[in-house]
Amino acid sequence: MMSCSEARTGRHRQRYKDQFRLVSGCIPFRFGEVVQGNICDLEKRLLVLMISSPNHKDLVFPKGGWEEDESITDAACREAFEEAGVRGIILREEPLGEWEFRSKSSQKSCSVRGGCRGYMFALEVTEELDSWPEQAIYQRKWLTTDDAFKFCRYDWMREALERLLRVLSVGRIEETMEELVKFPLLSGPDARADQKLSPICFGTTSSVQHLDRADQKLSPICFGTISNVQHLDRADQKLSSICFGTTI
């Protein structure tokens, strides 16, 4: 069992702005194992981590006060470690969004006190600890995105999860397009018959787009939802689907 340090306590270093307590948090995520039928389905492979707390039936994402001696992303990583026992990599410096909400202890109060301004980040989990500072308070649970949406008690949590899905989908498209630029399709005398590349899949089932020349075949690159079908034939070479859009 791995040892862990104590969680921070107190609010003497807490940041405030416009009477709001500044809060930083994250949606920890990882990709589950590929099973037959969902290799190209991002939402079915994606798992997100939520935590539960005593006396509350709802699940939440790790978050807490952003303190003066740390950056906003450092605060998000610290909260993920203290509350959920995970470490990882912040996907990008820009937050998924900014939301204003009230702390649980002041839900029924009309006072300005208790208002929070929260910033949520995407955290790709690289390490899951056996023990963590607030293990006695928070229990963690990995969920599919469909189940996570059901457990989100507040609108801002659902919005953050939707933005995570959007960011991951766009990121996968950009990475794959960079690979296509690095390794362009061979033509003319350099083309090799029956050459095949294996699938790069991140989205849901999409359309088929063919470019034919000399039996060279590349298998699907999929990232989005169902798209349209386009064919461009030239000899017998086939370039399988490169698709990222929605139904047209």
Side-chain angles (χ1 to χ4, degrees), residues 68-239:
E68 295 175 348
D69 63 338
E70 60 187 353
S71 69
I72 191 170
T73 53
D74 286 342
C77 291
R78 175 176 56 76
E79 292 296 335
F81 163 66
E82 292 179 353
E83 295 186 348
V86 293
R87 292 192 176 99
I89 301 171
I90 294 291
L91 195 61
R92 59 177 189 171
E93 294 296 320
E94 298 81 9
L96 295 171
E98 173 187 329
W99 292 272
E100 293 180 359
F101 51 86
R102 302 192 69 81
S103 63
K104 286 186 178 181
S105 60
S106 62
Q107 288 293 320
K108 298 181 181 180
S109 172
C110 296
S111 171
V112 175
R113 294 176 60 86
C116 299
R117 180 172 294 158
Y119 304 86
M120 297 297 291
F121 295 85
L123 178 77
E124 184 170 10
V125 173
T126 58
E127 184 179 7
E128 188 170 346
L129 306 177
D130 294 327
S131 62
W132 58 99
E134 299 185 5
Q135 185 174 4
I137 302 174
Y138 300 103
Q139 301 300 309
R140 63 191 178 196
K141 187 171 185 175
W142 286 102
L143 300 165
T144 64
T145 53
D146 285 343
D147 287 338
F149 275 116
K150 296 174 184 177
F151 280 106
C152 289
R153 181 177 179 180
Y154 305 106
D155 289 341
W156 72 264
M157 293 175 61
R158 285 185 284 272
E159 290 176 9
L161 188 52
E162 288 171 354
R163 294 186 187 184
L164 171 68
L165 291 173
R166 195 178 309 145
V167 166
L168 290 177
S169 297
V170 172
R172 291 297 187 263
I173 293 173
E174 292 174 348
E175 289 175 6
T176 303
M177 295 308 293
E178 289 177 0
E179 290 301 312
L180 291 176
V181 172
K182 292 179 183 177
F183 304 102
L185 181 66
L186 295 176
S187 60
D190 293 328
R192 293 182 175 84
D194 296 326
Q195 179 179 355
K196 299 181 180 180
L197 296 181
S198 57
I200 305 176
C201 310
F202 311 106
T204 53
T205 306
S206 189
S207 62
V208 178
Q209 191 176 43
H210 297 284
L211 175 62
D212 298 343
R213 183 185 299 171
D215 291 330
Q216 180 177 341
K217 300 178 181 179
L218 285 81
S219 51
I221 302 177
C222 330
F223 339 75
T225 52
I226 300 176
S227 185
N228 63 325
V229 178
Q230 292 185 344
H231 297 277
L232 179 59
D233 300 333
R234 187 180 299 169
D236 290 319
Q237 178 184 349
K238 298 180 180 179
L239 175 62

Side-chain angles (χ1 to χ4, degrees), residues 32-44:
E33 295 182 1
V34 176
V35 296
Q36 186 177 4
N38 76 345
I39 188 172
C40 291
D41 195 326
L42 173 65
E43 292 189 25
K44 287 184 178 179

